[in-house]
Amino acid sequence: DGKPRSRWSSHTTFLLASIGSAIGFGNVWRFPMMAYSYGGGAFMLPYLIALFFAAIPMVVLEFALGQRLQRGHVALVAHIAPRWEGLGWATVVGTFLSAQYYQTLLAYCLVYLVNAFRDPQPWAVEEAARSLSESSSSLDGAEASSGLQPGSGEAGGETEADAALAAVRSFWREEVLQVSSGVDETGGLVGPLCGWYALVWAVVCLGACDGASSIGALNKLLMPMPFAVLAAFFARAVTLPGAGAGIRTLFSPDFAAIWSPSIWVAAVSQLFFGVSAGLGTLTTYASFSPPSTPVGRSAIIVSLSNSAFSLFAGGTVFGFLGFISHTTGEPLESLVQSGPALAFQVFPIAMGLMPLPQLWAALFFLMLLNLGISSAVSMTSPLTTALCERLGTTARRVAPPLHLLGFVSGLIYVSRAGTYWLTLSDHFVPMFLTIVVGLSQCLLVSLAYGARRLLESLPPEDQRLAPWWAFCWQWLLPATLSLLLLAQVIHEGSSPFGGFPGWALAVGWVYSLGPLLLVPLFYCAHARAHGGRRGGGVM
């Protein structure tokens, strides 16, 4: 269209934006929960294999496509295979729908952040956090004289540690979620949460309004903080009694689980969703970089940063879980809950173990906001960019109405049944949409654009591994993703997820794969417009 394309101010800015897209809430609660659920240390083997043989090659592919073609995701797919433009739209629409439940997590953070400065904090029983802190030192060698032994009170009743755990759970369920009895009871909107949800959408909209310039500035500001805050929590966690047992629980392998296809699907989907592969984000971000920028090293840096942060966060979460289990006598497996409850229940207790708990609570929830905002902007930007390119207009005109639509249509997540819908969405979208899109991208490059053609356009630095990337895109990834997808569909049919009723599971399937209906719609529309001719595309 002749208009100059938005650019990153530097390659470092591009890396920070990509890492900001990769590292988010999922690293803090989704990775630890999935690793524990799928065999602990046994999950690490598929995870590491998938990192080097699936995630990194896929990130290289998306970076290479974005930089070579200098287009957003939809325009890129339309350029490669015009009839299959619907695949590009399905990708960015699915990613935008994912952003709707993702923004809910940011709204949770804001609820906790505004309450962080209260003394006492509302999620703690008076003096309970202090009692936990005192017990952490006395349990090291003086449990018998402390009067606060794990799992026992002064007269065999509830300890203050038990009360603190109950208070954290109560604040989460009764104050934040105001949760209904089930997915079939919506119960109306949660007023305060709805207001914070609106604020989150407004902030994300501002981040998406100026394309690369605003996204780059946002990530320069936000990205350094999470590493420092998490390091402080980890340093505190490893000093607590029981922390070692908790960390060992996370990494102790259950090798019987490794033979299940589900563990491999979980590992691939966690990595793809973690690094933002199959979401249209990486191709969009890479299109703001000059075509001569090396992609291999950038892909490795982004992928390893995401995995390192996940392992770091997992060790921190399970260190505190081990201590809580040790102090309360409650089995660790009963403390590991699905969904974001894992982070929003473990860390409030952890804050009571730190000096100046109000300060650390504020820092922690600011950290989660930092992680979440950068990822949220990356999830709405692909659709914003696609609409800008299609309509020939600017992000400042497209972003406000688009984000308003996202807010209104996502209000189900801030209803009293919102936590059920969030859990359902988080299961189906990463598990299926990202793998389907990743598989489709490999097929488009192999059959339409040409892997060799794409590789020849890469800078000399990337040519050394060109044969390996070609093998991954043409053979390894398509075969692996196809088998895993088939195995998971069979598993979902035989073992329905989470005890949800059949109609709710059907909604989950529609939510994750419904955007793919755009593929045949665009295919037929293109065929009709060109009278059955190929319209200039190979496919």
Side-chain angles (χ1 to χ4, degrees):
D1 55 10
K3 296 179 180 179
R5 188 157 189 84
S6 181
R7 293 291 182 201
W8 303 111
S9 59
S10 67
H11 183 61
T12 301
T13 304
F14 165 65
L15 281 178
L16 286 174
S18 300
I19 292 171
S21 171
I23 297 177
F25 273 106
N27 302 78
V28 178
W29 63 269
R30 197 172 191 275
F31 172 82
M33 181 266 295
M34 291 194 72
Y36 177 80
S37 301
Y38 287 96
F43 180 80
M44 299 304 163
L45 179 59
Y47 182 83
L48 292 174
I49 291 175
L51 171 64
F52 290 101
F53 291 91
I56 292 177
M58 184 60 71
V59 175
V60 171
L61 173 61
E62 297 199 4
F63 278 172
L65 283 171
Q67 286 189 190
R68 173 67 182 85
L69 299 178
Q70 293 289 290
R71 291 171 169 88
H73 189 77
V74 174
L76 179 152
V77 174
H79 177 79
I80 293 176
R83 288 192 178 190
W84 297 96
E85 181 182 351
L87 177 62
W89 285 108
T91 302
V92 297
V93 169
T95 302
F96 188 82
L97 292 176
S98 302
Q100 291 181 310
Y101 79 79
Y102 197 85
Q103 322 290 46
T104 312
L105 301 173
L106 295 173
Y108 295 160
C109 281
L110 286 171
V111 173
Y112 277 86
L113 180 62
V114 297
N115 283 283
F117 300 98
R118 294 172 59 182
D119 187 15
Q121 292 162 331
W123 51 78
V125 175
E126 184 72 28
E127 302 297 326
R130 187 177 297 116
S131 296
L132 273 170
S133 183
E134 292 170 355
S135 71
S136 71
S137 58
S138 62
L139 286 170
D140 281 322
E143 287 182 353
S145 60
S146 69
L148 193 65
Q149 298 183 19
S152 62
E154 295 177 2
E158 184 186 67
T159 66
E160 292 183 357
D162 295 320
L165 183 57
V168 167
R169 288 174 172 170
S170 176
F171 181 78
W172 168 246
R173 291 183 61 83
E174 305 299 329
E175 299 295 328
V176 180
L177 302 179
Q178 300 181 26
V179 64
S180 67
S181 60
V183 68
D184 53 351
E185 183 186 341
T186 304
L189 298 177
V190 180
L193 196 58
C194 183
W196 294 121
Y197 189 60
L199 177 60
V200 167
W201 274 102
V203 172
V204 173
C205 178
L206 290 174
C209 271
D210 284 327
S213 58
S214 60
I215 296 170
L218 189 69
N219 280 278
K220 282 182 178 179
L221 176 67
L222 298 182
M223 276 313 298
M225 178 187 175
F227 291 90
V229 174
L230 190 64
F233 275 99
F234 180 78
R236 180 60 176 125
V238 296
T239 66
L240 299 172
I247 295 173
R248 284 194 298 272
T249 299
L250 176 61
F251 294 107
S252 296
D254 175 12
F255 286 115
I258 205 170
W259 303 108
S260 169
S262 296
I263 191 174
W264 293 89
V265 176
V268 172
S269 64
Q270 171 63 28
L271 277 163
F272 274 27
F273 200 66
V275 299
S276 299
L279 299 177
T281 301
L282 299 182
T283 48
T284 300
Y285 278 13
S287 72
F288 299 139
S289 291
S292 60
T293 306
V295 298
R297 185 190 307 171
S298 301
I300 292 172
I301 291 173
V302 171
S303 301
L304 292 183
S305 296
N306 170 71
S307 295
F309 196 88
S310 293
L311 293 170
F312 196 21
T316 305
V317 169
F318 271 78
F320 281 116
L321 281 174
F323 167 68
I324 295 170
S325 175
H326 183 74
T327 306
T328 63
E330 189 167 346
L332 190 143
E333 56 267 20
S334 69
L335 298 172
V336 181
Q337 301 183 34
S338 62
L342 185 62
F344 287 104
Q345 292 184 18
V346 171
F347 281 96
I349 291 180
M351 294 158 198
L353 306 176
M354 310 286 280
L356 303 174
Q358 282 76 19
L359 173 63
W360 285 105
L363 287 175
F364 175 73
F365 291 113
L366 280 172
M367 178 195 79
L368 287 186
L369 284 170
N370 286 351
L371 293 173
I373 288 173
S374 57
S375 294
V377 172
S378 76
M379 296 169 81
T380 64
S381 292
L383 183 55
T384 302
T385 301
L387 290 171
C388 289
E389 292 178 334
R390 171 55 68 94
L391 300 174
T393 186
T394 64
R396 290 190 177 187
R397 292 186 176 181
V398 169
L402 178 63
H403 286 69
L404 177 61
L405 176 63
F407 162 70
V408 173
S409 58
L411 287 174
I412 185 67
Y413 293 111
V414 289
S415 70
R416 286 177 167 79
T419 185
Y420 304 112
W421 290 111
L422 191 153
T423 300
L424 199 65
S425 301
D426 183 65
H427 172 74
F428 279 98
V429 174
M431 198 72 77
F432 292 103
L433 183 63
T434 55
I435 291 181
V436 169
V437 171
L439 172 61
S440 302
Q441 287 180 159
C442 290
L443 295 177
L444 282 176
V445 168
S446 300
L447 301 178
Y449 191 79
R452 178 175 297 181
R453 178 184 175 190
L454 179 60
L455 288 165
E456 288 174 349
S457 69
L458 297 180
E461 179 182 327
D462 294 317
Q463 296 296 327
R464 289 173 294 180
L465 290 177
W468 169 246
W469 303 134
F471 172 73
C472 289
W473 302 342
Q474 293 177 296
W475 303 103
L476 181 60
L477 282 172
T480 302
L481 296 180
S482 298
L483 290 174
L484 290 178
L485 185 62
L486 177 62
Q488 187 61 21
V489 169
I490 294 173
H491 175 75
E492 290 288 336
S494 59
S495 302
F497 170 68
F500 284 95
W503 67 268
L505 293 175
V507 172
W509 281 105
V510 171
Y511 185 80
S512 63
L513 299 181
L516 293 174
L517 293 175
L518 294 170
V519 176
L521 289 176
F522 272 84
Y523 189 95
C524 293
H526 187 276
R528 174 176 292 185
H530 292 82
R533 293 177 286 108
R534 295 184 181 273
V538 179
M539 294 179 70

